[in-house]
Amino acid sequence: MAVAQEDSAYYLQQVTVTEEPEDGYHYEEIAPDDDLSISEGDENLESIMKIIEEQNEDLKAAAQESDLISNIQVSQRPEVVDDFLRNFLIKMGMIKTLDCFQTEWYEMVQKGSLKWQDVGFVPDVYTHNQLLESELRNVKKDLENCRKATNTASEALVKLRKERDFHRMHHKRVAQEKNRLINDIKRLKKHYATFEPTLRKITEKYNTALKNKMLTSLEKDRALVQVSNLQATIHSMESAWNLPAAVTSGYKGYRDSKKDGPSLRALCEAREQGPDPSLDSRKYLLSKHPKDSDFPIDTRVNPYLAQMKSTPSILLRTGGCKMTKTLKVHELAVSCLALHPRKQILVTGSDERLWKMWSIPNGDIIMTGEGHSDWLSSCCFHPSGNMLATSSGDKTMKIWDFAKAECILTFTGHLHAVWGCSWHTCGDFVASCSMDNTIRIWDINSERCRQILRGHVDSVNSIEFLPFSNTLLTSAADKTLSLWDVRTGLCAQTFFGHQHSCNDATFNLKGDTIVSCDSYGILKLWDVRKVAIMLSFDAGPHPGNQVSFHPSVGATVVVILEELHWRYSLLWNFTMSSLSPGVSNLYH
């Protein structure tokens, strides 16, 4: 019966479990709690998570060790009693007792009074209990470490939640302030929009007044020049009227034989009425200063014209040049330089607001001048070489005396930056051009402005005296060149032809040819006598900053161009017979 029961099979009842519950209740998805969301980018949270992961790994390793220990099968051979006792005494640190035990134990073994059969073995339960005790100690130690890690993580979590709440409040406050500022800006824009028509009207009135002022000043200057000429003519006529009777009667008869023209009538009226009282504001320029210098006559001959008949220089004959030395002269950009007329001396000006004098070619510094409050734009040696004129962006021009090693004169009067300066050959006058559209002639002896030349409608970029002459050449941003007579302050001729701002212009040695360059690198050669363009050449597309004639046979022009951060020079040889340009040298 029992065998039949053991051999019989047992079956479970088959039950089908449906996926959906019969009550028809639908469970909703639980949204994650925002309070438990922690920023993943927080460094503190990352460090805490790393600590927890390391501790979890330690716990896993300890669990594996305990599993290995628990899986170790107990040895079939129990531990001997003497080994158990020795291990126990060593564990407890009872070294003296261990020595006594071993001494007595081995004596009994040697005597034969102690047999192995009588000693026996230690039960396995003791060994198993020792393993359990060691495992329990490890578990307690791991538990303590987990508690510490949990407490640290809890404190860090509380701290991060507080910081999160603080930053949320700060973000809300910043957003509110941003919205308030946006509303204020919108209101200000609407408020300022109401002033735009008024500002536009004021700007138009200002421009109109400025134009009227400019026209008035030009008319005053013209009237001033006319009055000065009329007064000079009257003075000469008065001196003629005071001649002896024979001369006077002869002149009077010649005058009576011709009709009284408009110019003579105007002279008589001007003599009767006297000077115009509306010109008292210009009395400073008209009045004769006792130290005023006189402009020399224009009949002098240029002694350097003999160089035109000399043989061409080595540069032109060989068709090449090379760099011999490089000088580190300034920390900032070099804006101008000038060569001494007689000695191997070079002066450089820079954006550092100072100029330096160097001996060439060895490059030893001789002198340093500091006094301008802004960048230097130009420098020019006195014809004798004992003085230097410098112009600057601080609206001034200074005269430096090398013998005194100081600035002896400072000319102020320009309204904007002074672009250039040039000495008259006599050395008593120096001219300056400025961004305020004017040219001023300064007298070194009387230390005052003798003439203000107006005619350009934009910034005057360069200025140069024709050697041994009273003729002045200027180039301006209004795309024109002008020739001036500095004795009368009148523009003698204007050259039209450039389509862009003229940056520089200069005479050749004879004074019958002018070369100019503009901001698009266009070079033009002008015939002064015919007032016509002889040649136009495109050296662009980069601006041409400066041009100069070489004092040799033909018309050789050096043009300094600017290309990004590179500045290089081109040497062009224009044969006067065919006027065909050819590149002789290109060097950095």
Side-chain angles (χ1 to χ4, degrees), residues 320-347:
C321 58
K322 63 179 180 179
M323 182 179 65
T324 58
K325 190 166 185 178
T326 301
L327 303 180
K328 177 67 175 178
V329 293
H330 294 280
E331 296 297 331
L332 297 181
V334 179
S335 57
C336 59
L337 59 87
L339 290 171
H340 196 277
R342 294 180 178 84
K343 300 179 180 179
Q344 296 294 322
I345 293 176
L346 174 70
V347 167

Side-chain angles (χ1 to χ4, degrees), residues 326-539:
T326 301
L327 303 180
K328 177 67 175 178
V329 293
H330 294 280
E331 296 297 331
L332 297 181
V334 179
S335 57
C336 59
L337 59 87
L339 290 171
H340 196 277
R342 294 180 178 84
K343 300 179 180 179
Q344 296 294 322
I345 293 176
L346 174 70
V347 167
T348 59
S350 171
D351 290 348
E352 299 171 350
R353 307 176 184 179
L354 52 87
W355 58 267
K356 293 182 180 181
M357 182 184 294
W358 310 83
S359 64
I360 51 176
N362 53 7
D364 296 332
I365 188 168
I366 301 174
M367 188 181 298
T368 300
E370 185 175 359
H372 285 287
S373 60
D374 210 335
W375 44 268
L376 269 70
S377 59
S378 177
C379 57
C380 183
F381 274 103
H382 190 273
S384 63
N386 58 355
M387 287 190 294
L388 180 73
T390 58
S391 59
S392 171
D394 59 4
K395 310 175 188 178
T396 65
M397 184 177 63
K398 292 182 180 290
I399 307 298
W400 308 81
D401 192 340
F402 298 144
K404 298 180 180 179
E406 64 180 7
C407 176
I408 59 174
L409 286 176
T410 300
F411 293 117
T412 59
H414 285 291
L415 303 179
H416 294 288
V418 183
W419 282 124
C421 57
S422 178
W423 284 95
H424 194 283
T425 310
C426 67
D428 295 331
F429 303 96
V430 61
S432 63
C433 60
S434 171
M435 196 187 295
D436 61 4
N437 311 346
T438 63
I439 303 103
R440 289 177 180 262
I441 311 299
W442 308 90
D443 194 331
I444 302 299
N445 297 322
S446 60
E447 302 178 3
R448 68 173 191 149
C449 178
R450 291 287 299 274
Q451 291 283 359
I452 301 178
L453 310 181
R454 291 184 174 90
H456 288 292
V457 295
D458 208 336
S459 172
V460 185
N461 296 329
S462 71
I463 188 169
E464 181 181 352
F465 271 106
L466 176 63
F468 301 94
S469 172
N470 295 316
T471 302
L472 189 67
L473 172 64
T474 59
S475 64
D478 58 5
K479 312 172 187 177
T480 64
L481 312 177
S482 295
L483 292 177
W484 306 80
D485 188 347
V486 296
R487 295 169 297 180
T488 61
L490 298 177
C491 179
Q493 188 62 54
T494 302
F495 297 86
F496 299 93
H498 280 285
Q499 301 298 322
H500 308 283
S501 172
C502 296
N503 291 337
D504 190 37
T506 184
F507 289 102
N508 68 342
L509 201 58
K510 288 184 178 180
D512 58 353
T513 305
I514 296 175
V515 64
S516 60
C517 61
D518 60 21
S519 58
Y520 271 55
I522 305 297
L523 276 72
K524 290 184 181 294
L525 262 70
W526 307 81
D527 191 337
V528 177
R529 293 168 293 185
K530 297 181 180 179
V531 194
I533 298 176
M534 300 167 58
L535 178 66
S536 180
F537 189 79
D538 187 358

Side-chain angles (χ1 to χ4, degrees), residues 36-46 49 160 164:
L36 297 179
S37 61
I38 302 174
S39 175
E40 295 180 358
D42 200 323
E43 296 181 357
N44 296 329
L45 182 59
E46 290 181 357
M49 294 298 294
L160 291 175
R164 180 198 62 188

Side-chain angles (χ1 to χ4, degrees), residues 1-10:
M1 185 67 182
V3 176
Q5 291 178 355
E6 290 176 359
D7 295 337
S8 61
Y10 296 91

Side-chain angles (χ1 to χ4, degrees), residues 246-257:
V247 178
T248 306
S249 60
Y251 176 76
K252 186 174 181 181
Y254 174 76
R255 186 184 61 180
D256 292 339
S257 62

Side-chain angles (χ1 to χ4, degrees), residues 27-176:
Y27 293 93
E28 297 179 356
E29 184 179 358
I30 300 175
D33 191 1
D34 293 338
D35 296 336
L36 297 179
S37 61
I38 302 174
S39 175
E40 295 180 358
D42 200 323
E43 296 181 357
N44 296 329
L45 182 59
E46 290 181 357
S47 60
I48 292 169
M49 294 298 294
K50 289 181 180 179
I51 293 171
I52 294 174
E53 290 177 358
E54 291 176 356
Q55 292 176 354
N56 292 332
E57 291 177 357
D58 294 339
L59 292 176
K60 290 179 181 180
Q64 291 177 0
E65 290 179 0
S66 62
D67 293 338
L68 291 174
I69 294 172
S70 61
N71 293 331
I72 295 174
Q73 296 181 358
V74 181
S75 178
Q76 296 294 331
R77 182 177 179 181
E79 190 177 5
V80 187
V81 173
D82 57 346
D83 291 338
F84 177 77
L85 292 175
R86 288 189 187 94
N87 292 333
F88 177 76
L89 294 175
I90 291 171
K91 182 179 179 180
M92 299 304 294
M94 302 170 66
I95 305 301
K96 295 180 180 179
T97 306
L98 177 62
D99 294 339
C100 295
F101 170 74
Q102 288 182 352
T103 303
E104 187 175 1
W105 177 269
Y106 285 113
E107 286 179 356
M108 292 177 67
V109 170
Q110 292 297 328
K111 290 178 181 180
S113 59
L114 186 63
K115 297 181 180 179
W116 296 103
Q117 295 80 9
D118 298 335
V119 174
F121 298 95
V122 179
D124 294 339
V125 66
Y126 291 105
T127 306
H128 189 65
N129 288 337
Q130 288 180 353
L131 295 174
L132 292 176
E133 288 178 358
S134 62
E135 184 179 356
L136 181 61
R137 284 194 299 271
N138 293 331
V139 170
K140 287 182 178 179
K141 184 178 179 181
D142 294 338
L143 180 61
E144 187 65 24
N145 293 332
C146 289
R147 286 178 180 175
K148 291 181 180 179
T150 304
N151 294 332
T152 304
S154 299
E155 293 176 357
L157 183 61
V158 172
K159 182 179 178 181
L160 291 175
R161 284 181 176 176
K162 291 181 179 179
E163 291 180 356
R164 180 198 62 188
D165 296 338
F166 171 76
H167 288 301
R168 281 181 178 175
M169 294 176 62
H170 182 67
H171 175 71
K172 290 181 180 179
R173 182 174 60 83
V174 170
Q176 293 176 358

